[in-house]
Amino acid sequence: MNGNFIHGTWKHVSSTDRIVRYNPANLDEQLFDIGWKVEAVDDAVTSARRAFRRWDKLGREARLPYLERFSKALAARKNQISRCIALEAGKPLWEAT
């Protein structure tokens, strides 16, 4: 993982507080270990609120191209996303797809 994606950039959080996730079907398989801080959450929420105001002002028609592009990006990564969901949630791949 690259850290937290806040306000358009990846930001590394240096902290002894960690979020660690393991594959529930194989607890020997660590999925990720990432630092976190309350301040980083505050930064992300502040950034999201600012972005939402701009997003809301665009209106429906202006938002559609962005949503279509996002939909295509998800579809292009369907297998990778499904695998991540299956690993983190302990779901069979067919259910995560």
Side-chain angles (χ1 to χ4, degrees):
M1 277 195 165
N2 297 320
N4 297 313
F5 194 72
I6 300 172
H7 200 64
T9 60
W10 287 102
K11 298 186 180 190
H12 176 74
V13 177
S14 179
S15 175
T16 56
D17 293 325
R18 315 293 300 167
I19 296 175
V20 181
R21 290 291 181 267
Y22 294 90
N23 177 346
N26 176 3
L27 295 177
D28 293 329
E29 183 179 7
Q30 182 176 309
L31 301 175
F32 61 85
D33 176 351
I34 189 165
W36 77 278
K37 289 183 178 180
V38 170
E39 294 84 6
V41 175
D42 291 341
D43 290 347
V45 169
T46 299
S47 179
R49 284 183 176 148
R50 271 186 295 208
F52 180 76
R53 285 192 291 269
R54 290 189 302 266
W55 177 254
D56 190 42
K57 287 179 184 177
L58 283 177
R60 182 180 182 273
E61 292 302 314
R63 288 191 299 254
L64 283 175
Y66 294 99
L67 296 172
E68 289 168 355
R69 183 175 168 202
F70 181 63
S71 176
K72 288 177 184 175
L74 288 176
R77 294 170 179 82
K78 178 182 175 182
N79 291 337
Q80 181 183 6
I81 294 167
S82 297
R83 178 165 160 62
C84 288
I85 291 169
L87 287 174
E88 186 173 1
K91 292 178 174 263
L93 192 54
W94 63 265
E95 189 177 312
T97 302

